Amino acid sequence: MRMMMMSNSSLSPMELLTGNGSSMQPGGAVGFPKDSFTNAMTKNIVAMLVWLVLNVINGTMVYTFMKHRVFYEDPRYIMFICMVVNDAMQLSLVTTLYVVSYIFRQIHASVCCILVMTAVLTTRSTPLILAGMSVERYLSICYPMHYGHICTVRRTFLLIWVILLLAAAPPLTDLFITLAKEPPGFFSSYMFCDHSLLFRGRSVYYKNCVFDGSYLSFVALTLLYTYCRIMMAAQAASTTLASVKRARNTVLLHGAQLMLCLLAFVVPSLQASLITQFPHLSLEIRYVFFLLVYIIPRFLSPIIYGFRDENFRKYWIRYLTCRTGRAGRVRPLPIKVTPKVK
């Protein structure tokens, strides 16, 4: 259970990002040596380049989605674009925190609170969105006759709001508990921005233990159930349907995304062990885990639907071709209503 914690026992985005200098630990102990100028510049350039590439890809996908009615009237693509926007927000936030952490060692507690709460919100939303997308694939394959009545645009947006409320509940309760226990001037002070230093009550720790264990178990069981039912549908089919294969592979990729999300919960123990064994490589170890936990998973969302989905890829590539061929002017694309992929 210790590995399934978003607060004190797991790395918040800021905790991963701010391991770049001689961080001051509670009690005044100095943690790690300060990064050299060359290493700091290299890491910041890599982080900014990755942010730029992914945001360009995500931006073109959002534009393609908004320009074609066939996409924003399909629950499948609505959930997909919700994942893309969530990933873009999280990537932009952690990249900003990474660059800022090299400039300011301490920031205003209220600003830190907003950044940490937003980072936790986007991080916790990802597994819940994955569960929703897997259920949508399950319904399209196992209940094709009722799919149009169950998965409507209105219900899809309602599900997105429920996901946001569930993801926002833990950081909001963290804030309320801290407001009740900390002195009035706490959020007017300056501090090293970290989740465990901002929300430092033991009640916050145990509350997040229960929440993380419950909702991650729910997501894992949802992915397992939908995958098994899709496999049973594939075996029951008289022929090997391409749509069933695509749905099965999509759920498998959702499982891979979930495993990468779980890295945020198992990294603290592994990172602490490696830093103990190799203290002279502490900065490099923290940077590698930052890439593994917050950067690499952001590449999967464009791959799962942007590149694998033939219908979306056709419109997306046509948009990119128009942009490069007309010097920034987009030629109007015909809206072709294609049947939904079940």
Side-chain angles (χ1 to χ4, degrees):
M1 178 64 73
R2 185 181 177 185
M3 293 183 180
M4 291 188 176
M5 316 237 174
M6 182 64 75
S7 60
N8 293 10
S9 66
S10 67
L11 285 179
S12 66
M14 202 60 188
E15 188 176 351
L16 270 173
L17 300 177
T18 53
N20 50 51
S22 54
S23 58
M24 188 68 67
Q25 305 298 329
V30 177
F32 303 102
K34 189 176 181 179
D35 214 349
S36 66
F37 176 80
T38 303
N39 288 339
M41 183 64 67
T42 302
K43 292 176 182 178
N44 278 276
I45 290 176
V46 171
M48 292 298 294
L49 287 177
V50 172
W51 170 83
L52 180 61
V53 170
L54 280 178
N55 271 352
V56 168
I57 294 175
N58 291 333
T60 56
M61 287 185 173
V62 172
Y63 185 87
T64 302
F65 170 85
M66 296 299 297
K67 279 295 183 179
H68 298 89
R69 187 174 180 180
V70 66
F71 296 134
Y72 58 78
E73 290 185 349
D74 191 325
R76 178 188 184 189
Y77 295 106
I78 294 175
M79 293 296 295
F80 158 62
I81 214 64
C82 180
M83 174 69 79
V84 170
V85 172
N86 184 78
D87 287 349
M89 288 179 59
Q90 186 183 38
L91 182 65
S92 298
L93 179 64
V94 297
T95 303
T96 301
L97 291 175
Y98 188 85
V99 175
V100 169
S101 68
Y102 277 90
I103 304 174
F104 306 104
R105 296 305 303 167
Q106 291 186 334
I107 63 176
H108 201 273
S110 59
V111 176
C112 175
C113 181
I114 295 174
L115 295 176
V116 168
M117 290 181 65
T118 307
V120 172
L121 171 65
T122 54
T123 301
R124 291 178 185 272
S125 297
T126 300
L128 297 178
I129 297 174
L130 290 176
M133 297 173 77
S134 297
V135 170
E136 185 275 332
R137 288 292 81 201
Y138 156 71
L139 292 173
S140 69
I141 295 299
C142 298
Y143 299 97
M145 301 299 295
H146 304 283
Y147 175 82
H149 300 286
I150 299 175
C151 295
T152 62
V153 174
R154 181 176 177 273
R155 290 180 177 177
T156 302
F157 282 109
L158 178 62
L159 175 61
I160 292 173
W161 278 110
V162 171
I163 289 174
L164 291 176
L165 289 175
L166 289 175
L172 286 177
T173 53
D174 291 348
L175 176 62
F176 295 149
I177 293 173
T178 303
L179 287 173
K181 291 190 174 183
E182 297 293 341
F186 176 74
F187 285 99
S188 299
S189 61
Y190 286 82
M191 64 183 303
F192 178 77
C193 189
D194 175 67
H195 186 283
S196 60
L197 298 179
L198 181 66
F199 305 120
R200 51 193 178 184
R202 297 300 295 176
S203 55
V204 172
Y205 174 83
Y206 291 118
K207 173 189 67 67
N208 286 333
C209 288
V210 174
F211 180 87
D212 292 334
S214 300
Y215 105 117
L216 287 174
S217 299
F218 167 76
V219 172
L221 290 175
T222 300
L223 293 179
L224 180 62
Y225 176 78
T226 54
Y227 178 77
C228 292
R229 290 301 303 268
I230 290 174
M231 287 295 295
M232 293 171 61
Q235 293 177 356
S238 57
T239 58
T240 304
L241 299 177
S243 60
V244 176
K245 284 186 175 182
R246 285 194 296 269
R248 180 195 61 192
N249 294 335
T250 298
V251 175
L252 278 177
L253 287 173
H254 290 337
Q257 281 184 290
L258 180 63
M259 292 299 103
L260 290 174
C261 292
L262 291 178
L263 286 176
F265 301 89
V266 302
V267 155
S269 300
L270 179 58
Q271 177 176 278
S273 176
L274 289 176
I275 290 177
T276 302
Q277 297 294 325
F278 309 98
H280 59 288
L281 297 176
S282 59
L283 298 177
E284 286 70 20
I285 291 173
R286 283 173 174 260
Y287 185 69
V288 168
F289 278 119
F290 159 64
L291 295 177
L292 289 176
V293 174
Y294 291 103
I295 299 300
I296 293 180
R298 308 284 83 77
F299 280 98
L300 284 183
S301 294
I303 292 175
I304 290 179
Y305 278 113
F307 301 130
R308 289 182 66 247
D309 188 273
E310 295 180 3
N311 193 32
F312 190 88
R313 185 175 66 242
K314 177 182 63 176
Y315 286 90
W316 183 60
I317 292 178
R318 190 182 301 175
Y319 164 75
L320 294 179
T321 303
C322 291
R323 293 288 296 182
T324 56
R326 300 293 294 273
R329 294 180 57 191
V330 181
R331 177 168 49 86
L333 302 179
I335 299 177
K336 180 181 179 181
V337 179
T338 57
K340 296 179 180 179
V341 180
K342 304 298 183 184

